[in-house]
Each structure stands twice: as C-alpha cells, then as structure tokens.
Amino acid sequence: MSLLRDELLAGIRSHREQFSSAGDRAEELRTLPHDAVATLRELGLFWLKTPAELGGTPLSPVEFSEVIEELAYIDTSTAWAAMIGAGCNGLAGGWLPESGARRIFGPVGDAAAPSSAGGRLPVIAGQLAPRGAGTPVAGGYLVHGRWGFSSGIVHADWLIGAFKSGSPPVAVTGGDSADDGAGTGFGRMVVFAIPKDEAEVIDNWHVAGLQGTGSLDFSVDGIFVPSELTYDLGIPAVRGGDLFRLGMPAFVSNEVPPLAIGLARRAIDDITELAAHTARFPGGPTVSERVVFQHELGRAEVRVRAARAVHREAMAAAFATAVADGAPTDEQQLAVTTASVYAVETCADVVSELFKFGGGRALALSNPLQRHLRNVLAARQHVALSEENYEAAGRYLLESAKARRS
C-alpha cells in the first residue's frame, strides 16, 4: 500500500469529529458546511483522480476505494462530496485537450500538490447525462440545457455536463477540435466544462436521501463553450497514465460502491450498539439476545465483506490491465459494472434488513439508522447502478457461449 493512502486514512481519522458534525449540519444546510469543504481541500481529497501533471495525487482504484470507504464510515455526505469532486476533476483533467486542461488547472510548472496548494486547485461538479443540446459554431458550441444531481455544486469552481451532438464544431485555425471518432453506444456525446459563474444554479435539492450532498441543478441558455473545453465521451484519455487507461465506465466505478460499503459497515456497528441495550418490549430480552438478530447480524457482516471483495477484485483486474499498458477488455468492464451494482444493492439490502430491528426509535431524526437507510436507498438510485448492467453482462455471456458452440 502507498504512503499517500496511509496518510489520507490517518488524516481522515484525525478529523473524525469534524466530519461527523459536518454530516449533522449538512442535513439542515442541504450541502456540506464550508469548514468541512476546507478540510477536504487541505487533505487533498478532491484531487485523488486528477493527473499528477496537473497537480493531482492520483490513487490506484483499490486505494481510492479504501479512502472513500473510511470517509463514508464516518459520514456519508462528506464522503459523497469527496467522491464526486475527485471523479469530476479526474474527468476534466484526464480527457480535456491540453489548452482546456491548463485553462482549468493552471499552466505547466505552476501546479502544486493539493496537500500543499491550500485549495488552489479547482473543484469541479456536474454529471455526464446528456440533458442538453450543443449547436456547433466556429470554434466550439452554443450549449443549452439543464443538468440535475450536480453534487457539490455549492462549493465547486467549475461544472461539467454532456449533450448529444451529431457533428463537431467548425474548425478554427489554431484551435483544438473535438474528436468525432469515438462511439458510446448512444450516439455521439460531448462532455463540456464551464466556470460555475457562467451557469444558473437552481436551489431545488429537497429530497428524502443524501440530503447533505448539495446535488442542485444548473442550467445554461445559449452559452458559448470553446472546443478546448470539450471532449467526446468514449475517447482515450489524453494524459494521466495507468489510472486513465481504465477508460469508461471503469474510471468512475470505484466511487459509489466503496461509499455504500462504508455506510453499511457503520450501520452494522450502530445497530450492534443499539441492540445491546434495547428491548422491543419492557422486560423482554434485548435485541442482541434474540437468535433471529444474531443470525441476521452475522449474515450482514459476511454479505458486506463479500460485496467489497467482488467489487475490489473486479477493479484490481481492470487496473492490472491498464498498468500493463492496455485498455480493460469488454469482459473486465462488465465485471466492474456488475460488481458495482451488486455491491451497492447488497449494502442497501443489509441496511434495510437491519433497520427493522431498531423498532420505532430508529425512526427518530436523532437516530443515525434512519439516515443510513435513507442515504443507502438514495445511493442505490444512481444512474450508474442500473440493473441494465446485469442485462448487458447476461447478453455477453450468451453471445460468448454461442460463439464457443459455433
């Protein structure tokens, strides 16, 4: 394991009380408090997927998972902010053309490591669902649209979004042009980046789960985005080394699963503590003395460990291929996406099953179990965790079997 990973885990643990308190306040603010954001910046947690040549300190996928799991065990909202910030910074830093990346992250030779930069590197928020439209014009696009679930937008400096496009921008002498050669299976999709102050931020985050993540909408109406701040989704990364050869979706598949695992581990510990001194009826046995609870608790522990193992095994295999200077195979990408769905759905099931043992007291807003349940169910709704990933894996298995028979 790397020294950076060990330093990050130690830093997170040293701020446990602050992050735990931040989670409580985030529920009311509907976004992470400023002091917690400042600590995430100080620790460098927003830049663990940013290329080193841009000032980032990228971790291997498994080490990143360990860091996010540790943070999520303490507080889900804090972990979500770090996870999304790292992922969005990585998408912009790894795939934007050189001039666009330097415009956001700074010129060559001017980037310092995040831990010593005092937050000088940017934080990026947004999402890659193609909710908008881009009209090609000279040197870029005129972009319209509205994008939701932009977690961390309140403390972000830049935003990313995506739109479908049938043609590249009109070339301008001396400018960068978008690559039209990569396919995504959904037609040509263009990712763009803009300064946050050029968008309208819409304060509409009133939800049942992940309340503290500040996942507001943003919209733009005919803004010009130069081609240097765009790239085609599906193209190879242009910088960053081993981590960025993972490609999509493996590059972002180590985000929500470890968060859900950390959350589930915390739920197991919280219900264990509650069960030791709680009875469902006055004078009855404590919950911890009931055989049915002992059975479910033991089963829950094994299920979460299994979910972690299957996800990390898939991520490690994909990364090993990237380190060997290759791109993960279709089979490896499918293994990562299905392991991601399995890990999060398993954690959601575990938390749901254990929640019932908390009885009516678990419904109180002061009880952490209700927040764990709301958060894990909300995380399960993430677009990357659709059961369509299982369908794709099933088709692959059927086609492979057919090919072997022929």
Side-chain angles (χ1 to χ4, degrees), residues 138-228:
Y141 298 88
L142 293 180
V143 179
H144 307 257
R146 176 168 172 167
W147 291 262
F149 303 102
S150 301
S151 302
I153 193 171
V154 175
H155 58 257
D157 307 297
W158 286 74
L159 305 176
I160 62 170
F163 57 84
K164 289 186 178 180
S165 178
S167 57
V170 179
V172 174
T173 301
D176 295 323
S177 60
D179 186 341
D180 192 30
T184 64
F186 300 96
R188 182 170 181 262
M189 286 173 52
V190 177
V191 180
F192 68 91
I194 58 171
K196 186 177 75 173
D197 59 13
E198 294 185 6
E200 178 187 2
V201 178
I202 302 163
D203 187 3
N204 63 335
W205 190 241
H206 301 277
V207 290
L210 297 175
Q211 286 181 326
T213 63
S215 304
L216 286 62
D217 288 13
F218 74 91
S219 67
V220 296
D221 185 14
I223 186 176
F224 173 72
V225 180
S227 58
E228 68 179 7

Side-chain angles (χ1 to χ4, degrees), residues 67-374:
V67 168
I68 295 300
E69 180 183 333
E70 184 69 24
L71 196 52
Y73 181 89
I74 298 172
D75 177 60
T76 302
S77 295
T78 306
W80 194 276
M83 172 197 79
I84 294 295
C88 289
N89 275 273
L91 292 172
W95 277 268
L96 281 175
E98 188 68 16
S99 55
R102 293 301 176 182
R103 179 171 170 179
I104 295 175
F105 291 93
V108 176
D110 190 41
S115 59
S116 63
R120 186 177 55 77
L121 286 176
V123 175
I124 304 175
Q127 59 138 298
L128 298 187
R131 303 297 186 188
T135 303
V137 295
Y141 298 88
L142 293 180
V143 179
H144 307 257
R146 176 168 172 167
W147 291 262
F149 303 102
S150 301
S151 302
I153 193 171
V154 175
H155 58 257
D157 307 297
W158 286 74
L159 305 176
I160 62 170
F163 57 84
K164 289 186 178 180
S165 178
S167 57
V170 179
V172 174
T173 301
D176 295 323
S177 60
D179 186 341
D180 192 30
T184 64
F186 300 96
R188 182 170 181 262
M189 286 173 52
V190 177
V191 180
F192 68 91
I194 58 171
K196 186 177 75 173
D197 59 13
E198 294 185 6
E200 178 187 2
V201 178
I202 302 163
D203 187 3
N204 63 335
W205 190 241
H206 301 277
V207 290
L210 297 175
Q211 286 181 326
T213 63
S215 304
L216 286 62
D217 288 13
F218 74 91
S219 67
V220 296
D221 185 14
I223 186 176
F224 173 72
V225 180
S227 58
E228 68 179 7
L229 291 177
T230 70
Y231 68 88
D232 281 22
L233 187 64
I235 66 170
V238 296
R239 68 184 65 77
D242 296 341
L243 178 62
F244 295 82
R245 280 192 291 273
L246 282 172
M248 298 291 285
F251 182 78
V252 296
S253 292
N254 64 335
E255 297 177 2
V256 181
L259 180 139
I261 290 165
L263 185 163
R265 284 181 45 228
R266 179 60 181 272
I268 289 173
D269 286 353
D270 285 347
I271 191 64
T272 300
E273 175 65 23
L274 179 68
H277 56 78
T278 299
R280 292 300 299 270
F281 302 100
T286 63
V287 173
S288 64
E289 293 172 322
R290 297 175 60 200
V291 174
V292 65
F293 175 75
Q294 296 166 6
H295 173 273
E296 287 301 320
L297 186 65
R299 183 167 176 263
E301 174 71 15
V302 172
R303 293 180 71 192
V304 171
R305 290 171 58 192
R308 179 201 282 128
V310 73
H311 175 258
R312 303 228 174 136
E313 178 185 43
M315 289 303 315
F319 188 58
T321 298
V323 170
D325 204 26
T329 65
D330 289 344
E331 185 174 1
Q332 287 176 322
Q333 292 281 9
L334 286 169
V336 165
T337 55
T338 51
S340 297
V341 178
Y342 176 77
V344 178
E345 72 179 7
T346 298
C347 290
D349 289 347
V350 163
V351 176
S352 297
E353 287 295 316
L354 293 178
F355 180 81
K356 65 186 180 185
F357 291 101
R361 61 184 55 79
L363 297 174
L365 294 180
S366 59
N367 192 298
L369 288 172
Q370 54 79 28
R371 189 186 303 174
H372 299 328
L373 180 63
R374 290 187 291 107

